[in-house]
Amino acid sequence: MPELPDVEIYKRHLDQTSLHKKIRRVAVMDARLLGSLAGSEFARRVEGKEIARSRRYGKHLLAALDGAGWLVLHFGMNGSLKHFGADEEEPAYDRVRFDFAEGDHLAYLNPRRIGHVGLTSDPEAFAEGEKLGPDALDPSFDLAAFETALAKRKRDLKSLLMDQEVVAGIGNIYSDEILFAARIHPRTGSDTLDANEGRRLFEAMKGVLQTAVESGAGAETLTGRLPPSFLIPHRKKGERCPGCGGEVETLKFSGRTAYFCPRCQKEAR
């Protein structure tokens, strides 16, 4: 599933290829991804508008439409964005396509149709309506805010990091990486952290995500760009830990598989 670094890649792709272009036509190939919004109404509100700027909030990408609200893109399990020229073949699994006045296109791809395309009048109101916690890389989300987000919650840290109401942007894969970087076992209870462990987890969250963004690597794509010290390239059962050389093991959390190193991430007794 695309996580914060993936969506940052899509944001940069949009910025490099589609910013300040006027949307001549919208083609909706699968209206189910629009939810309750009719395809014709979506097209009416978007066509003729220019993409003025973009921003990312957690796993959501938002694009301002020239004073007419914001386009909202959520990529579900395996969605993505693809810009292509007038002389290029349309990509597979193109569910919504934005045709620009210059003749090129931006396609929202989604093979499994798990995701969402919509509109909002305001990004902050959208985040509040979706009950999203602070974006993990928001500069205002500092150590004090992180400690407040974790306060009074008694859950394992693996599940807590993936809870978008607590902090937006982290999924199954990067929660493993953050816990590995912090040298904390995924089953550790959030209410058992001392001040030093809390700071270590916070710094690992910021550091891991920022490194992934700067490397241009996603959760499952371009992982070869990540530093060799990262767990993600070794996130397979039976692989060796990049830190100690021990065997990587797995645990299940609500149907999700967590990968960790039992030597580097010792479970408290």
Side-chain angles (χ1 to χ4, degrees):
M1 177 180 289
E3 300 184 28
L4 185 156
D6 301 87
V7 180
E8 184 64 28
I9 290 173
Y10 305 153
K11 178 188 182 301
R12 294 180 182 189
H13 182 60
L14 183 149
D15 289 350
Q16 291 168 1
T17 64
S18 308
L19 219 54
H20 309 303
K21 292 185 176 181
K22 181 172 289 187
I23 301 170
R24 177 179 57 83
R25 178 175 176 269
V26 175
V28 178
M29 276 68 80
D30 195 331
R32 288 174 291 182
L33 290 164
L34 301 177
S36 60
L37 184 61
S40 57
E41 175 64 11
F42 177 75
R44 184 190 68 78
R45 293 168 61 180
V46 173
E47 288 176 351
K49 306 298 188 299
E50 181 181 294
I51 300 178
R53 62 190 184 281
S54 72
R55 64 170 292 188
R56 182 194 49 71
Y57 196 113
K59 299 179 183 181
H60 293 82
L61 175 58
L62 299 99
L65 297 174
D66 195 22
W70 294 72
L71 178 68
V72 179
L73 304 171
H74 185 267
F75 299 94
M77 292 296 293
N78 57 357
S80 61
L81 281 182
K82 172 67 176 176
H83 175 269
F84 64 102
D87 57 345
E88 294 180 77
E89 186 175 346
E90 188 167 352
Y93 308 113
D94 183 357
R95 307 302 183 191
V96 180
R97 192 186 69 243
F98 304 92
D99 300 335
F100 298 119
E102 294 85 350
D104 53 335
H105 318 270
L106 183 67
Y108 170 84
L109 314 179
N110 202 311
R112 296 182 64 180
R113 297 185 175 91
I114 301 175
H116 179 70
V117 177
L119 296 167
T120 185
S121 59
D122 177 72
E124 304 305 329
F126 168 79
E128 184 177 347
E130 293 290 311
K131 298 181 179 179
L132 296 177
D135 181 271
L137 286 183
D138 187 332
S140 67
F141 188 47
D142 57 13
L143 177 59
F146 181 73
E147 290 173 338
T148 299
L150 266 59
K152 299 181 181 178
R153 288 185 165 93
K154 296 184 179 182
R155 295 168 60 190
D156 63 85
L157 288 172
K158 168 70 176 176
S159 300
L160 196 65
L161 286 172
M162 293 191 296
D163 188 338
Q164 302 304 295
E165 293 187 21
V166 177
V167 54
I170 303 168
N172 190 36
I173 293 175
Y174 274 94
S175 59
D176 282 353
E177 191 65 60
I178 291 164
L179 289 166
F180 176 72
R183 298 300 188 258
I184 295 175
H185 193 281
R187 211 152 38 196
T188 302
S190 58
D191 58 322
T192 68
L193 290 180
D194 60 31
N196 180 58
E197 290 169 325
R199 176 180 290 276
R200 206 164 71 230
L201 183 64
F202 171 76
E203 291 175 349
M205 177 188 72
K206 293 286 190 176
V208 162
L209 293 175
Q210 192 60 52
T211 298
V213 165
E214 291 171 356
S215 301
E220 296 185 81
T221 58
L222 305 173
T223 56
R225 296 179 176 180
L226 293 170
S229 59
F230 267 46
L231 179 68
I232 289 174
H234 310 277
R235 199 176 169 274
K236 297 175 185 174
K237 193 170 184 178
E239 274 273 6
R240 313 310 294 187
C241 169
C244 71
E247 188 171 329
V248 173
E249 295 185 6
T250 62
L251 285 170
K252 288 288 187 180
F253 291 83
S254 303
R256 300 291 187 89
T257 301
Y259 291 80
F260 71 105
C261 173
R263 287 186 188 175
C264 297
Q265 299 166 262
K266 296 186 183 299
E267 187 170 13
R269 296 188 181 277

